[in-house]
Amino acid sequence: MVHSLATVVELVNTSPSTGGDEGLSGLPELQTFVESRKISGVSTLTARDLGQVRMVREAFHRVFTAPDQPTAVRTLNALLSETRITPA
């Protein structure tokens, strides 16, 4: 769980929305991120993957920057509803 949360934080920090440069400007940067965070089950990455990762990253950014807890919970629940995982 700690590794997963750290990975999400590191992912969000690649966003220009945090005030820096785009940290995932292309597939090589995404590949480096996947390898450095030891994300399993990932083979060949595509431009579609890059776009989807960027969308998820921005969704998590909205969770972390929500003005209050209820808004953060609603935003996170909306994000989770689009996945096949069951949070515990």
Side-chain angles (χ1 to χ4, degrees):
M1 175 77 164
V2 172
H3 177 75
S4 297
L5 183 56
T7 298
V8 170
V9 170
E10 188 173 327
L11 177 63
V12 169
N13 285 335
T14 68
S15 173
S17 298
T18 63
D21 294 330
E22 172 61 72
L24 296 176
S25 57
L27 289 175
E29 291 80 11
L30 179 57
Q31 184 67 46
T32 298
F33 180 84
V34 166
E35 290 171 2
S36 71
R37 295 307 301 173
K38 297 178 176 46
I39 299 171
S40 62
V42 176
S43 56
T44 304
L45 294 167
T46 66
R48 183 173 184 262
D49 296 321
L50 179 61
Q52 289 180 329
V53 168
R54 286 176 177 166
M55 286 190 313
V56 168
R57 175 187 69 182
E58 295 311 311
F60 274 113
H61 183 262
R62 287 190 300 275
V63 171
F64 292 150
T65 58
D68 52 50
Q69 185 176 3
T71 302
V73 169
R74 279 193 306 277
T75 305
L76 184 57
N77 284 339
L79 178 61
L80 291 174
S81 72
E82 297 174 16
T83 68
R84 292 179 287 162
I85 64 170
T86 303

